[in-house]
Amino acid sequence: MEETTTTLAGIPPELYNDLAISINNIWVLVAAFLVMFMQPGFAMVEAGFTRKKNTANILMKNLMDFSIGALIYWVIGYSIMYGDSIFGGLIGKPFLFFNSDGIGDYADKTDILFQTVFAATAATIVSGAMAERTKFQAYLIFSFFVTLIIYPISGHWTWGGGWLSELGFMDFAGSTIVHSVGAWVGLAGAITIGPRLGKYIKGKAVAIPGHNLAMGALGVFILWFGWFGFNAGSQLGAAGSENTVAIAHIALVTNLSAAGGAVAAMLFAAFRYKRPSLSLSLNGALAGLVAITAGADVIAPGGAVVIGLLAGALLVLSVEFFDQKLKIDDPVGAISVHGICGAFGTLLVGVFSVENGLLYGGGFTQLGIQAIGVLAIGAWAFFAGLLLFKILKATNTLRVSKRIEEEGLDVYEHGESVYN
C-alpha cells in the first residue's frame, strides 16, 4: 500500500498552493477591515478638532462619504482604475457592476474591497479641509466625483499600470496616490469656499480651538492602528517567507516613522511656540504615517525614523504657512498632513530607497521620476477639484448661509445634535 506524504499538520503537498491563496486572502481581508476602521479614526479627529455645534454634520459626512464611495467605486470606479489601459495609459477601460469570482494570489472580490477602503480614505480627507462651513449636499456630490473620476484616473496612472507605472514611479501604499489626492482636492475646496467666519480679523489669523482634543487623540490612535493594515496590507500577500519578512518590515518602519513624527512635532512646537502642543503632536504622528507610506517596502528602519522626524517638523511649519501666510483655513490640518507630507514622503523614496535611492548610490533618476509623479498627480487632483468646486459655488451648492454657520450645521442641516 502506497504511503501518502503529508506535512504541515497533515495537509498534502498538492494543496499547498490553495493554502497559500487562503492565507493571502485572509490577510488582505483583515487589512481591508483595519483600513475601514480608519474611518471612525478620521471622524474622531475631525470632530474633535472642530466645534461641537458641527459634530453631527461631521459624523454624518464620514458615514456618507464611505457609503457613497463604496457604491460608486463598485459600480464603475474600480474598473476605471484597474481596467485595461486605453488612451495611452491615461484611464482604464470602464465596465459596470464588478462581480468577478476569479482568483489570483487571492480572490478578486477581496481586491475590490481592499481598494474600496483606500478610495474612501481619499474622499474623507477632502472634507477635513472644508469643515464647518460646507453644505451637506456638497459633501455628497464631491464624494461621488472623487471616487468616480478623480481618484480612479490618477490611480490608474500608477497602480493600474498606466503611464506613471511604466515610468517607474514608486508609491507603495499611497502617500501621493491616496493621501495627497484627497488633500489637493481639499485645497481646491478650501480656496473656493473661503475661511470660516471669524477666522481672519483685520488680516490676522484667529485660533478656533476644537471642542474635544480627547476625541481627536482617540482618532489619531485609531488611525495609527489602522495604518498597519494600510501599509502592511499593501504587500497583498502573507504566505511564504518573503511575504513574512516584508510584512514585518513594513509594520516596523510604519511605527517608527509615526513615532518620529509625533516626537519631532512636539519638540519643534515647543521650540517655536514655547510649549508642546497636543494638536500639533497628534498631527505630527499622522504626518509621519503619511510620509512613510510611499516607501514602506524599500526604506530601512533608520531611514523611516529620519523621514518621520522631518515630516513632523515640516508639519508644524506647513500648518503655520497655510494658516498665517496663505490664509487658507484648514480646520484639521488635512492639507499639511496629507498633501505636503504625502508629497514630501513620496519624493524621499528617491533619496532613502535601499534599492535605488540617492543615498544608496542610485543617483537622481528615481528622485526625478518621483517628482514627475508628485507634480502630475497633484496638478490633476487640484485642478479637477477646483473645477468641481467652482461649479458647486456657481450653483449655490457649496457653502451654508451666515446664520447656519454661526449657529451650527447640526440643527439646520440634520435636525439633531450630538450634545443634548
Side-chain angles (χ1 to χ4, degrees), residues 46-59 131-134 139 196-199 208-212 215 399-420:
E46 191 176 334
F49 280 19
T50 52
R51 291 167 290 185
K52 66 180 182 180
K53 63 184 180 180
N54 301 313
T55 304
N57 175 260
I58 286 167
L59 297 177
E132 300 201 284
R133 70 267 203 207
T134 304
Y139 284 135
R196 292 168 290 175
L197 296 175
K199 176 60 183 176
I208 302 178
H211 84 282
N212 193 332
M215 183 184 291
R399 183 162 185 154
V400 298
S401 68
K402 180 180 178 181
R403 179 180 178 181
I404 293 175
E405 186 174 345
E406 288 177 339
E407 297 186 21
L409 279 70
D410 286 2
V411 173
Y412 284 94
E413 289 271 272
H414 306 286
E416 55 192 345
S417 176
V418 168
Y419 301 98
N420 296 303

Side-chain angles (χ1 to χ4, degrees), residues 121-146:
T121 298
T124 200
I125 289 167
V126 180
S127 63
M130 303 173 62
E132 300 201 284
R133 70 267 203 207
T134 304
K135 287 184 176 180
F136 181 66
Q137 60 185 323
Y139 284 135
L140 304 182
I141 293 168
F142 71 66
S143 295
F144 177 91
F145 281 103
V146 167

Side-chain angles (χ1 to χ4, degrees), residues 377-396:
I377 293 174
W380 159 251
F382 177 78
F383 287 109
L386 191 64
L387 175 62
L388 173 61
F389 291 121
K390 289 293 186 183
I391 293 171
L392 292 176
K393 184 175 182 179
T395 55
N396 196 31

Side-chain angles (χ1 to χ4, degrees), residues 151-303:
Y151 173 75
I153 287 181
S154 55
H156 182 77
W157 298 350
T158 50
W159 292 342
W163 69 276
L164 277 176
S165 175
E166 294 177 356
L167 192 64
F169 178 70
M170 299 172 66
D171 188 356
F172 177 67
S175 291
T176 286
I177 297 168
V178 179
H179 294 277
S180 285
V181 164
W184 301 142
V185 175
L187 174 61
I191 291 171
T192 305
I193 199 171
R196 292 168 290 175
L197 296 175
K199 176 60 183 176
Y200 296 100
I201 298 177
K202 295 181 179 179
K204 292 187 177 181
V206 176
I208 302 178
H211 84 282
N212 193 332
L213 283 181
M215 183 184 291
L218 174 62
V220 169
F221 279 114
I222 291 173
L223 288 170
W224 194 329
F225 176 71
W227 227 288
F228 292 116
F230 202 98
N231 283 1
S234 293
Q235 179 66 15
L236 301 179
S241 58
E242 184 177 337
N243 283 328
T244 299
V245 171
I247 289 171
H249 173 84
I250 293 163
L252 174 62
V253 299
T254 297
N255 195 58
L256 290 173
S257 188
V263 170
M266 182 267 293
L267 292 174
F268 197 73
F271 170 77
R272 194 166 182 84
Y273 308 122
K274 310 306 178 187
R275 58 180 62 87
S277 164
L278 173 59
S279 59
L280 287 173
S281 299
L282 292 169
N283 266 341
L286 297 181
L289 288 164
V290 171
I292 197 60
T293 294
D297 61 329
V298 293
I299 291 173

